[in-house]
Amino acid sequence: GADDFLSKPFVKEELRARLRTGQRILALQNELIDAREALRYQATRDALTGVLNRATLMQRMKEELERSGRTGGGLGVALFDLDHFKNVNDTFGHLAGDEVLRVVTQRVNRELRKYDALGRFGGEEFVALFPEIDQIGLLHASERLREAICAEPVCFEESIIPISASLG
């Protein structure tokens, strides 16, 4: 399809004007695409941690279950929460608690394969999805996550906050 045309012979100034108009249209279209992508990201991600939000996580789990049913491959699901997280908020404050959640998700994301998924289930509870994995592999993957979470305390301002997690 065509958006514009010039008949021959054309005037150079008119060609330049139409090219500038075309450039503006393309720039606006790119801005619109970028804005749509930003909205899609915001609609599917947890605002604090950047991992999948609960609705997107549940949709992804449904899709992975359907896929594993078709292919016969396994799907591992690990639910974990941070131990005594309420004490973190009560002792160090909610900003420190937010930092702990961000640091934990960064640590966990480093341990995941590119096709695994991590989502925030609620509060300090998270779910990791492991497509194409068996029970032994899931056990090892879950232990890697636990070790990554607990490897070192989280530093926030002047505070050192020890972290532990329970996985199942």
Side-chain angles (χ1 to χ4, degrees), residues 152-166:
E152 57 186 83
V154 173
C155 298
F156 180 75
E157 295 176 350
E158 302 295 318
S159 302
I160 306 294
I161 307 168
I163 302 300
S164 63
S166 299

Side-chain angles (χ1 to χ4, degrees), residues 13-25:
E13 291 77 25
E14 183 179 4
L15 174 61
R16 284 189 190 104
R18 290 188 188 215
L19 286 173
R20 281 192 303 273
T21 300
Q23 286 176 322
R24 279 195 313 271
I25 290 170

Side-chain angles (χ1 to χ4, degrees), residues 44-63:
T44 60
R45 300 293 173 151
D46 175 65
L48 178 63
T49 61
V51 299
L52 299 176
N53 64 24
R54 184 177 179 146
T56 306
L57 173 68
M58 299 309 284
Q59 179 62 36
R60 176 81 181 268
M61 188 181 317
K62 179 182 174 194
E63 292 166 1

Side-chain angles (χ1 to χ4, degrees), residues 81-159:
D81 78 354
L82 304 181
D83 299 331
H84 315 293
F85 187 72
K86 183 180 181 319
N87 291 341
V88 172
N89 282 333
D90 292 346
T91 304
F92 302 101
H94 289 277
L95 292 178
D98 290 350
E99 180 64 11
V100 166
L101 294 174
R102 282 190 289 269
V103 168
V104 164
T105 57
Q106 290 168 359
R107 290 177 183 176
V108 169
N109 270 324
R110 283 194 298 263
E111 299 300 320
L112 298 178
R113 303 169 297 182
K114 65 181 177 181
Y115 47 86
D116 295 336
L118 177 63
R120 188 169 176 195
F121 196 67
E124 76 282 4
E125 297 174 329
F126 295 87
V127 172
L129 302 178
F130 298 95
E132 300 296 326
I133 199 167
D134 60 17
Q135 286 182 327
I136 300 299
L138 179 60
L139 180 64
H140 291 300
S142 297
E143 182 58 21
R144 275 197 322 273
L145 296 187
R146 191 196 61 74
E147 288 174 355
I149 292 168
C150 304
E152 57 186 83
V154 173
C155 298
F156 180 75
E157 295 176 350
E158 302 295 318
S159 302

Side-chain angles (χ1 to χ4, degrees), residues 60-70 73 75 77:
R60 176 81 181 268
M61 188 181 317
K62 179 182 174 194
E63 292 166 1
E64 291 295 342
L65 281 169
E66 290 172 358
R67 188 172 66 79
S68 70
R70 281 191 317 272
L75 173 64
V77 179

